[in-house]
Amino acid sequence: MPRPILATIHSAALQHNLSRARRAAPEAKVWAVVKANAYGHGIERVYAGLSGADGFALLDLDEAQRVRALGWRGPVLLLEGVFEMRDLELCSRLDLWHTVHCDEQIDMLAAHKTSQGHRVFLKLNSGMNRLGFPAQQYRAAWARLNALPQVEEISLMTHFSDADGARGIDHQLQVFESSTRELPGERSLSNSAATLRHNEANLTSDWIRPGILLYGSSPDFPAHNDAQWKLQPAMTLSSKLIATQSIDKGACIGYGSTFVAEQAIQIGVVACGYADGYPRVCPTGTPILVAGVRTRTLGRVSMDMITVDLTAPLAADPTVGFGSEVTLWGRSSNGEVLGIDEVASSAGTLGYELMCALTARVPVVVGA
């Protein structure tokens, strides 16, 4: 029998979360963002659940080829655009739309020999200060693109840095509106946080770009959790208890003896560790479900094992023991949900990182 750890990708949850994005911005078309191998879920595994989107947005040409190989014939957007001249040949062949965020990409387009016009998304640096043309250069960049016979259509784009926090989007929205006033073309502004938090009349986004919300993680945790945003976990990481121990008061657990029992307790050993992608830095007290009952981790996370407190699970079901289900994050078989954001918070990081950190040795299946 293989080691009992398993990641399950829930197609129905992906469909639900996509519908949630549409309800938040009913007038907009939806890019399903599947960069980073669909946030660690696997592009091929999420395709069926997200195929109701209007387009797929991703990072590189390999991901674009995989989406096309799955049979997708709709729009595909390269979020960082092309990195070298020859990339434009594949954009033409695969009919890829691509972001333009610097003069060098315009130069490549100008030198590109093609009979097929390109659909480009001209990116404005409205305050994020990563990619994009500064406001004072944006119209000149638009004019250069508009004059190129290689360019068929120009859309307008920016990215919000603080849509998930107190600063909000108004400061960037003002820059975008002043920089694009009277310019033709569709607009794409809203990421997950903007889609859920800033669905205001003055935020016109013809294309929204939900990423993390599609996978059931809250874009502004802990201000809101997944349940408050009515999202469902798209990934469940589950395992089983492979041993139990009776621990006396004063006994230590795990490497470094960082946990000392204040009273006699029953503990369980879970087949999961940092070599599976579970964060080593998760401290004692990180939430975890055993037989669908919330409990806590104890001591250090090892390469292959985690120890957990069985007090609450045994109180709910005295038969809990070897072989009992453990949910590291996601939905347990009894329907109880442990949001990935809670686990990530204990590790001092975000749900994004946990999704992307799942390692190759963890088997992955697609379920309902």
Side-chain angles (χ1 to χ4, degrees):
M1 178 179 175
R3 189 163 169 262
I5 192 167
L6 179 70
T8 303
I9 308 303
H10 305 292
S11 291
L14 290 162
Q15 293 171 349
H16 169 88
N17 296 335
L18 177 60
S19 296
R20 178 69 182 89
R22 286 199 185 279
R23 291 197 303 273
E27 303 301 319
K29 289 174 282 189
V30 180
W31 291 114
V33 179
V34 294
K35 64 179 181 175
N37 197 25
Y39 289 53
H41 293 65
I43 288 174
E44 289 77 11
R45 299 185 194 108
V46 305
Y47 179 74
L50 296 179
S51 60
D54 300 290
F56 285 92
L58 36 77
L59 209 64
D60 59 43
L61 291 168
D62 174 70
E63 292 175 332
Q65 290 182 90
R66 289 162 63 190
V67 169
R68 288 295 189 221
L70 288 166
W72 180 255
R73 295 294 174 259
V76 175
L77 174 64
L78 297 175
L79 288 166
E80 291 182 0
V82 299
F83 301 103
E84 55 184 67
M85 185 75 178
R86 63 181 179 179
D87 294 347
L88 291 170
E89 297 292 341
L90 200 55
C91 287
S92 295
R93 180 149 50 89
L94 295 178
D95 190 21
L96 306 180
W97 302 0
H98 50 99
T99 299
V100 172
H101 59 75
C102 61
D103 284 317
E104 290 80 1
Q105 290 175 327
I106 300 179
D107 293 340
M108 284 188 270
L109 267 169
H112 178 49
K113 292 179 172 56
T114 180
S115 58
Q116 179 180 343
H118 286 242
R119 173 76 178 268
V120 300
F121 278 64
L122 181 61
K123 190 162 191 177
L124 171 71
N125 176 10
S126 60
M128 183 84 169
N129 292 318
R130 294 191 313 190
L131 301 180
F133 289 90
Q136 62 271 26
Q137 299 173 20
Y138 192 75
R139 286 178 176 270
W142 185 92
R144 280 194 69 197
L145 283 172
N146 192 50
L148 293 180
Q150 294 91 338
V151 175
E152 180 180 53
E153 187 173 345
I154 305 171
S155 297
L156 315 175
M157 181 183 191
T158 197
H159 190 65
F160 294 127
S161 59
D162 294 276
D164 59 342
R167 193 180 185 197
I169 65 171
D170 286 348
H171 62 295
Q172 288 185 259
L173 193 56
Q174 291 173 12
V175 174
F176 182 83
E177 289 176 342
S178 63
S179 301
T180 62
R181 187 170 292 116
E182 298 179 359
L183 289 180
E186 292 185 323
R187 270 73 169 154
S188 179
L189 294 90
S190 298
N191 55 9
S192 289
T195 298
L196 293 176
R197 289 171 59 102
H198 301 283
N199 185 25
E200 302 140 343
N202 65 339
L203 178 55
T204 301
S205 193
D206 298 294
W207 287 89
I208 60 173
R209 303 190 303 274
I212 196 67
L213 80 80
L214 295 177
Y215 306 98
S217 176
S218 170
D220 64 348
F221 186 86
H224 299 87
N225 62 28
D226 50 354
Q228 288 169 318
W229 284 129
K230 296 180 173 59
L231 303 173
Q232 297 178 5
M235 176 194 291
T236 294
L237 181 62
S238 61
S239 188
K240 293 181 179 180
L241 296 181
I242 58 172
T244 61
Q245 299 280 351
S246 298
I247 301 299
D248 294 331
K249 179 180 179 180
C252 303
I253 296 175
Y255 287 118
S257 299
T258 59
F259 178 82
V260 181
E262 297 179 353
Q263 59 189 22
I265 58 170
Q266 291 289 116
I267 68 166
V269 181
V270 183
C272 179
Y274 60 76
D276 301 297
Y278 193 89
R280 182 183 180 276
V281 296
C282 280
T284 289
T286 299
I288 194 166
L289 304 179
V290 176
V293 177
R294 181 177 287 249
T295 185
R296 59 177 180 150
T297 63
L298 302 173
R300 284 187 186 166
V301 175
S302 301
M303 180 181 286
D304 309 305
M305 289 173 279
I306 300 169
T307 50
V308 297
D309 186 348
L310 294 183
T311 304
L314 282 168
D317 180 0
T319 67
V320 165
F322 182 90
S324 290
E325 175 193 61
V326 177
T327 306
L328 289 308
W329 59 71
R331 187 181 302 276
S332 69
S333 59
N334 72 352
E336 187 70 20
V337 172
L338 174 59
I340 195 171
D341 300 308
E342 286 193 68
V343 181
S345 180
S346 291
T349 187
L350 303 172
Y352 299 74
E353 186 174 358
L354 268 60
M355 293 175 186
C356 294
L358 193 72
T359 65
R361 79 174 188 175
V362 177
V364 185
V365 299
V366 178

